[in-house]
Amino acid sequence: MKLFATYRVLALLVGVLLAFCSLVAMPLKYLAADGGTWQRFGEQASILWVAHGWVFMIYVVVAFALSRKAGWSIAFTLVALVAGLVPLLIFWVERQVVRKVRDENPELTSSEPTGAVSS
Amino acid sequence: MPRTLNGVTSAFAPRLWGGHLLALLLVAATLALGWWQYSAYQAQRAAESRDLTHAAAKPLTSVMGGNDPFPGNEVGQPITATGTWVGGGTVFVSGREHGGREGYWVVTPLAIGTPDGSALPIVRGWVASLADAPPPPSGTATVQGWLQPTDGTGEVDTDRSDDVIPQVRTADLIQHVDQDLYDAYAVLDLSAVRADGEPDDARGLVQADLAELPPPAGGTGLRNLLYAIEWVFFAAFVGYVWWRWVQERIQEVSTVAA
């Protein structure tokens, strides 16, 4: 099943973009010396917020599809979706998702060694 | 194994109302955010259009010649033009709004270069009624204004005997002058005219509003537009999750009942 692998790639991408935008670009844009090289860099890099938004859009769809396939609770699903909006949270959530899917729905990880045995 | 009956048989069951309400609120919120971003996108483009009208003025001769078609990328470009007023060719364009009132544009052609050269119709200003119009200017002048493409609404001049025409169209204007006309007109910058005193021919005139503002660059406000699309998408996604949620609640009942 490709859904699980897609989810992991998107989670990583969303996480990196969000961390960069909120922890690097935004502080530089607002805190660096006005008009300086760093401030301008922060301002230009802010365009990545748009990239984050669009990747997050796809992430939400894929995460929701995975959630329904794996039969997650509403609460866990919500945490998985919202994780893409809280800096750094998604890296931890992704670990939880990987563990949960491997434990409860190994058939969704068929591209991995553990899944290959069972299928 | 006994399991709690969590499901319902109808999407309208009272126990789902809380979820329905939440879903409606979320859809409304996402659509509102989308609308907000779309408004910001439009506001940015409008602001840039206004900014472009404050660009440095170019000489008319470097923007277009008397026989050239209108340069499409120069709408609203500030220009300067030097020539001779053709006072006898003054006309009034009816049905022009300013500040919510209908009035007239006072238009006098300016023969560019030589007195018999091609003339550029100059909108000298706006008046509420024809009686307010100042006398036409005469002699030579250098004017500053904004270049505009001529109108093409197809409205017909119903009374060809007077000096009132329904639109700034070359075919109508040409009846009132003896020379060629530019395929364009300019809206006079009255603040430049009044920079040192009020000339007689500007008395009582109100700055005419530009019919067409310069187009903003393609990328202007793009971020806001992209965010707007995202919000609409999220609204659709909330709707989808809502539908899935109702489906699953109903299915639970049939699974338990089976």
Side-chain angles (χ1 to χ4, degrees):
Chain A
M1 185 59 203
K2 291 266 167 50
L3 197 59
F4 181 61
T6 312
Y7 168 83
R8 295 190 64 182
V9 172
L10 286 169
L12 187 71
L13 204 53
V14 169
V16 169
L17 281 170
L18 182 63
F20 178 80
C21 286
S22 59
L23 303 177
V24 180
M26 198 156 76
L28 282 178
K29 179 178 171 184
Y30 292 107
L31 301 178
D34 220 18
T37 317
W38 286 111
Q39 200 260 342
R40 265 195 313 239
F41 171 75
E43 217 166 83
Q44 279 159 9
S46 293
I47 193 68
L48 285 174
W49 277 114
V50 174
H52 165 263
W54 282 70
V55 177
F56 177 64
M57 220 156 71
I58 308 168
Y59 168 84
V60 159
V61 173
V62 170
F64 187 73
L66 185 64
S67 134
R68 293 348 285 151
K69 272 230 158 64
W72 298 343
S73 67
I74 291 181
F76 191 80
T77 305
L78 275 182
V79 170
L81 296 183
V82 171
L85 300 175
V86 183
L88 302 182
L89 179 64
I90 200 164
F91 297 115
W92 177 79
V93 165
E94 195 257 1
R95 300 307 312 156
Q96 303 304 307
V97 167
V98 168
R99 188 182 306 162
K100 195 176 173 73
V101 171
R102 280 192 184 141
D103 285 355
E104 299 171 8
N105 304 83
E107 76 280 1
L108 293 177
T109 64
S110 58
S111 57
E112 299 189 339
T114 45
V117 178
S118 64
S119 60
Chain B
M1 193 174 145
R3 82 180 261 198
T4 356
L5 191 74
N6 201 17
V8 291
T9 47
S10 154
F12 301 103
R15 61 188 314 163
L16 295 188
W17 287 359
H20 290 328
L21 185 66
L22 179 68
L24 279 173
L25 283 175
L26 283 173
V27 169
T30 43
L31 286 179
L33 285 162
W35 178 248
W36 165 58
Q37 287 293 337
Y38 185 68
S39 311
Y41 161 73
Q42 287 186 314
Q44 277 212 25
R45 293 181 75 80
E48 188 177 308
S49 280
R50 280 194 302 273
D51 286 353
L52 286 173
T53 60
H54 295 125
K58 295 183 195 170
L60 173 69
T61 44
S62 77
V63 176
M64 72 182 290
N67 297 317
D68 296 342
F70 188 88
N73 53 350
E74 302 281 11
V75 175
Q77 167 67 42
I79 52 114
T80 55
T82 302
T84 312
W85 287 112
V86 186
T90 300
V91 292
F92 305 96
V93 183
S94 59
R96 293 291 154 160
E97 276 199 14
H98 176 79
R101 288 171 69 199
E102 266 208 5
Y104 299 85
W105 272 2
V106 182
V107 182
T108 301
L110 183 73
I112 305 301
T114 54
D116 56 352
S118 292
L120 179 71
I122 307 283
V123 177
R124 285 160 48 219
W126 179 92
V127 287
S129 70
L130 293 179
D132 300 340
S138 57
T140 59
T142 295
V143 299
Q144 178 166 339
W146 294 275
L147 200 64
Q148 297 276 285
T150 49
D151 296 338
T153 54
E155 219 173 314
V156 181
D157 186 3
T158 47
D159 183 0
R160 282 172 175 271
S161 60
D162 63 7
D163 288 339
V164 178
I165 57 175
Q167 57 181 356
V168 190
R169 199 174 61 139
T170 310
D172 291 335
L173 289 163
I174 202 83
Q175 316 288 333
H176 300 267
V177 289
D178 294 328
Q179 60 244 87
D180 279 348
L181 286 174
Y182 272 74
D183 200 9
Y185 68 94
V187 172
L188 188 65
D189 183 355
L190 274 180
S191 67
V193 173
R194 290 175 174 146
D196 29 50
E198 172 108 301
D200 278 348
D201 53 59
R203 189 152 294 142
L205 288 178
V206 176
Q207 174 69 52
D209 303 313
L210 294 191
E212 284 189 55
L213 288 172
T220 309
L222 186 63
R223 266 179 76 167
N224 297 105
L225 182 65
L226 290 172
Y227 282 138
I229 297 172
E230 266 175 53
W231 281 118
V232 172
F233 170 85
F234 281 123
F237 180 72
V238 169
Y240 171 69
V241 171
W242 185 8
W243 175 77
R244 276 294 298 257
W245 174 73
V246 171
Q247 293 302 305
E248 285 177 24
R249 289 290 94 73
I250 293 173
Q251 258 164 22
E252 271 172 35
V253 159
S254 41
T255 328
V256 173

